Amino acid sequence: VPELPEVETIRACLEPKLVGRRIESVWVRQGSRLLRDTVGPAQLRRRLTGRGIEGLGRRGKYLILVLDTGEYFVVHLGMTGMFYTAAPDAPSPRHTHLRLKLADADLLLVDPRTFGRVFVLGEGELQAHPVFRRLGPEPLDRAFTVAYLADRLRGRRTPIKALLLGQQLAAGIGNIYADESCHAARILPRRAAGSLEAREIAALRRAVRGVLRRSIACQGTTIRDYQWDEGRSGGFAAKLKVYGRQGRPCRRCGGLIERNVLAGRSTFFCPGCQF
Ligand SMILES: [Zn+2]
């Protein structure tokens, strides 16, 4: 599942291929579930065809193509969504849902399990859209301060991991990076958020930012069937400290990593050095 570092990696990889190009034509798979939030393939085609791509941004786990009309084409890759570029005459691989013809190559969105979604927003509609209105600050932005975190955690009985996954505290953190951040901060994922002391809140902020930055530097994590852009893999999987490592020794204290289920998700932690 692509989380912030994976989506940021895809953004950086696609940016030079897309920005400055024009969308000459748009093919959409008949009945594609990727369009379940939008009004239909005809309107999607109408709003994209002929548009120039002026920028490629990211907010949380969403990729945002900025069009020369001021509109935004928003893509969430879901569980298994991937972008491919292909020569204009190359056939579309299986599970292709969207194919944008650009001047020199085509951009394909391939999604075997179709948990992804795409939609177009008008100029000025981005901040007000329900998806983006709910999103917390980017954890790598300046707004993600210790004071902000302390304010948002105060009095909360929700497990800290559930808050990290919720997207309202911070945008873009999913299961892998929530567990890795809690381990780096030496905090048990099940701890009530409001029970964190000031030094633990500061450690958590530092951990979240450090883990995300290190993963971006490795071009993200590849777990099982998720790969970014044309089947390339990120290198952070080799650096995971707890995620997917149950029964193996902690790289910090030698204790055995445990797994349980928290907030409906597999959760990995070290009982030896997380408190
Ligand atoms: Zn440990």
Side-chain angles (χ1 to χ4, degrees):
V1 179
E3 303 180 29
L4 188 156
E6 290 77 38
V7 179
E8 180 56 30
T9 299
I10 294 163
R11 192 204 65 74
C13 172
L14 288 178
E15 189 173 44
K17 298 177 182 178
L18 300 188
V19 174
R21 307 298 200 283
R22 189 163 297 282
I23 302 170
E24 296 182 352
S25 66
V26 178
W27 175 89
V28 185
R29 173 187 287 270
Q30 187 79 24
S32 173
R33 290 193 63 241
L34 287 189
L35 271 63
R36 61 191 175 279
D37 299 330
T38 190
V39 285
Q43 180 163 1
L44 185 75
R45 277 197 299 269
R46 186 174 58 73
R47 290 178 83 172
L48 295 182
T49 304
R51 307 297 180 241
I53 301 170
E54 290 198 333
L56 184 57
R58 180 192 57 75
R59 181 79 174 93
K61 303 174 191 173
Y62 291 83
L63 273 172
I64 302 168
L65 277 73
V66 183
L67 307 177
D68 59 2
T69 50
E71 294 186 301
Y72 305 97
F73 179 48
V74 182
V75 179
H76 190 287
L77 293 169
M79 305 271 290
T80 53
M82 274 175 277
F83 279 110
Y84 288 80
T85 47
D89 54 353
S92 294
R94 281 187 74 194
H95 308 299
T96 299
H97 286 262
L98 187 71
R99 183 163 181 153
L100 305 182
K101 183 173 171 46
L102 309 175
D104 43 358
D106 291 3
L107 180 72
L108 282 63
L109 182 48
V110 177
D111 191 351
R113 296 175 66 183
T114 337
F115 289 111
R117 58 198 289 215
V118 302
F119 50 95
V120 180
L121 295 177
E123 192 168 13
E125 288 178 4
L126 196 65
Q127 298 306 325
H129 188 273
V131 158
F132 296 104
R133 205 175 49 217
R134 283 185 62 254
L135 281 184
E138 290 290 320
L140 295 176
D141 278 2
R142 295 170 72 102
F144 191 69
T145 61
V146 173
Y148 162 81
L149 263 183
D151 185 52
R152 296 294 298 268
L153 302 190
R154 191 171 298 120
R156 298 294 301 269
R157 298 166 79 172
T158 311
I160 184 62
K161 176 173 178 182
L163 284 191
L164 289 172
L165 290 178
Q167 306 303 302
Q168 288 180 288
L169 183 69
I173 300 170
N175 210 30
I176 296 173
Y177 300 106
D179 284 1
E180 291 296 312
S181 297
C182 286
H183 181 264
R186 299 175 179 260
I187 294 165
L188 285 169
R190 64 171 174 267
R191 280 274 301 280
S195 75
L196 268 58
E197 295 168 19
R199 61 171 176 80
E200 291 178 313
I201 294 171
L204 182 63
R205 172 183 176 272
R206 205 161 49 239
V208 164
R209 291 162 66 97
V211 163
L212 294 174
R213 283 213 183 93
R214 285 194 294 280
S215 182
I216 290 170
C218 293
Q219 303 191 310
T221 306
T222 308
I223 298 285
R224 274 178 285 151
D225 53 357
Y226 179 69
Q227 297 178 311
W228 60 273
D229 186 57
E230 297 164 14
R232 276 193 275 176
S233 301
F236 196 66
K239 302 193 175 181
L240 295 172
K241 301 287 204 301
V242 284
Y243 189 86
R245 299 191 69 244
Q246 71 273 27
R248 299 173 65 189
C250 174
R251 290 174 173 155
R252 185 165 55 204
C253 76
L256 293 186
I257 305 298
E258 293 187 9
R259 172 189 177 276
N260 63 16
V261 175
L262 181 65
R265 310 293 301 274
S266 277
T267 296
F268 303 90
F269 61 97
C270 174
C273 63
Q274 288 175 257
F275 306 99

